[in-house]
Amino acid sequence: MKKTIISTILLLSLGLSASAQNPGHNRRGEGDREAAAKEMQAKMKEEANAYYANADTAEYGIRYRLKYLFNKEKNLTFEEDRIVLITPKVTLYQSYEGIGETRWRLANPNGQGGDLGLAYHLTPDYYFYYPATGRKVNTYRIISEEFKLKDFTCDNKWNITDEEKTIGEYKCRKATISKGGRDWTAWFTNDLPHVGAPRDFNGLPGIVLEVADKDNEVRWMFNGIVNHVEGDTLFIKYPDRFSDIPVERFPKILHIFATCDQSNYLQNSGIYDKHKGSYPLKYRPSTGIDACIIDNPIEKE
C-alpha cells in the first residue's frame, strides 16, 4: 500500500510536469486523473465491504463532545467528538471524526473545507462492551496493527439517585461514582433503547448522555443521536487479529505514532502494513489525546 501511494504521487507529479510543458495534453490528463480517482474509490469500497463483512451493525449512535483540561499548568483544553455505537449485545466507544468527515462529504460532495461543528481530532482507541457479561475490551489501532490493551470485567459500583434533569429531549437520572482518583457524575436515560456509555463508565441501566468529574476537568456532553445514512452504515468491527508485537512495547510505539511528523513516523515506529487489504488505514499520526503533553491524567491513580 505504501509503495502504491508513493507510485501514485510520483505518477501524478510526472503528469503535472508533462502537462505544464505541453498544455495540449491538459484535458487528457484531467480525464486520466478522474478515471484513476474513480478506480481508487471503487477499490476502497471493495476493501471496505470485505473488511466489514462480518461486522455487527449498530442500531444507532450517541455522539458526545469530550472536553478535557489535559494540562493544568498551561490551562490547555482538548476537545474531540466521540461516539458510542449501540446494539443489544455490544457497544463500541470510538472517535467520531471518521464518521463525521464521511457524512459531511456525502452531504457536500463539491464543498470545500469541512464540518464546522466537528472537532477534527482522532484518537484511535476503541472500547467494546458486552452488557450481558460486563466484559470490556480496550483496543488501539496503529496503521494496520491492532493492539489489545485490556480485557476485563467492568464492575462499576454506581450510586443511583432520584435526582432528574432533561438533556435534549430525554429525561435523565443522576448517578455518581468514585474511580481513577476522581469523583464522577453521570446522567443516564431510559428513553432510548439498550445500555451504553462513553469510555469505561458502563454499568448503568440505560444510555449515559453526560459524564463529568467533580471539577469539570473532564466532560462528555451529549451532542445528538446518530443514525444510518445512505452510503455510511454504522458498523461495529471487532478486530480479526491482534498484533504479535508484545504489548509491553506499545507505550513506546504509541509515543512515536502520536508525536512524530507525517513523513517519517512509519519508519520510526517500525510498523508497516503487513496485512494486505486491511481497511481502513490511517497514514498519519494521531492528532488526538495521545499527542498532548498531559499533566492532568483522566485516571489519576
Side-chain angles (χ1 to χ4, degrees):
M1 178 67 77
K2 184 183 175 188
K3 291 181 178 178
T4 301
I5 292 173
I6 293 173
S7 299
T8 302
I9 293 172
L10 180 59
L11 287 172
L12 286 174
S13 299
L14 291 174
L16 288 172
S17 177
S19 297
Q21 295 173 14
N22 189 350
H25 290 283
N26 281 352
R27 185 171 300 172
R28 187 178 66 185
E30 289 176 3
D32 291 343
R33 286 194 293 274
E34 289 178 3
K38 289 181 180 179
E39 182 180 353
M40 183 175 291
Q41 288 173 357
K43 184 177 180 180
M44 289 177 64
K45 185 175 182 180
E46 181 181 349
E47 290 183 355
N49 289 338
Y51 181 79
Y52 290 113
N54 63 344
D56 292 299
T57 301
E59 291 188 12
Y60 67 98
I62 302 293
R63 180 179 174 184
Y64 304 86
R65 173 60 65 91
L66 167 62
K67 292 189 176 183
Y68 169 30
L69 179 64
F70 69 90
N71 191 306
K72 296 179 73 171
E73 180 183 356
K74 297 183 179 180
N75 194 32
L76 299 177
T77 299
F78 172 84
E79 294 191 25
E80 181 177 352
D81 285 277
R82 305 285 296 185
I83 189 170
V84 174
L85 301 175
I86 307 291
T87 78
K89 296 182 179 180
V90 59
T91 69
L92 172 59
Y93 170 69
Q94 65 172 65
S95 176
Y96 180 74
E97 186 198 53
I99 298 172
E101 174 68 7
T102 297
R103 295 192 167 202
W104 191 90
R105 295 297 173 191
L106 288 172
N108 302 273
N110 300 314
Q112 301 295 319
D115 182 358
L116 297 179
L118 176 65
Y120 281 90
H121 286 120
L122 168 71
T123 305
D125 58 352
Y126 303 84
Y127 288 77
F128 297 86
Y129 177 65
Y130 300 86
T133 62
R135 183 189 179 200
K136 191 90 178 186
V137 184
N138 176 205
T139 70
Y140 202 104
R141 186 182 181 94
I142 297 182
I143 312 171
S144 62
E145 297 286 340
E146 300 277 6
F147 290 87
K148 183 190 284 189
L149 303 184
K150 291 179 66 177
D151 190 337
F152 61 102
T153 299
C154 183
D155 59 352
N156 289 330
K157 301 297 190 295
W158 290 97
N159 174 38
I160 299 176
T161 75
D162 293 327
E163 189 175 343
E164 296 182 347
K165 76 172 182 178
T166 299
I167 299 176
E169 59 186 83
Y170 306 105
K171 184 172 70 175
C172 299
R173 290 182 65 185
K174 178 181 176 180
T176 60
I177 193 172
S178 294
K179 61 178 295 173
R182 295 181 186 269
D183 295 325
W184 300 92
T185 295
W187 295 89
F188 70 97
T189 183
N190 297 122
D191 293 344
L192 291 164
H194 315 309
V195 299
R199 207 166 185 264
D200 53 0
F201 291 98
N202 302 94
L204 284 167
I207 300 293
V208 175
L209 297 186
E210 185 177 298
V211 184
D213 77 318
K214 181 179 65 175
D215 299 317
N216 274 328
E217 293 177 350
V218 191
R219 294 177 288 164
W220 284 265
M221 295 171 292
F222 176 64
N223 200 18
I225 303 294
V226 180
N227 292 303
H228 298 281
V229 299
E230 185 177 354
D232 188 36
T233 303
L234 299 172
F235 288 118
I236 297 179
K237 170 67 175 181
Y238 191 81
D240 293 320
R241 63 176 71 84
F242 288 103
S243 177
D244 55 7
I245 298 173
V247 73
E248 292 78 14
R249 292 179 57 192
F250 176 77
K252 183 176 181 180
I253 294 170
L254 173 60
H255 175 75
I256 295 171
F257 171 70
T259 59
C260 281
D261 64 86
Q262 188 168 344
S263 63
N264 67 6
Y265 84 95
L266 283 171
Q267 292 83 354
N268 287 344
S269 69
I271 295 178
Y272 294 87
D273 180 18
K274 298 185 298 183
H275 311 300
K276 297 293 185 182
S278 62
Y279 179 95
L281 299 178
K282 295 289 184 184
Y283 283 96
R284 62 184 178 83
S286 166
T287 59
I289 291 174
D290 303 308
C292 298
I293 300 175
I294 297 172
D295 72 3
N296 185 29
I298 292 177
E299 293 182 336
K300 295 183 177 181
E301 59 182 36

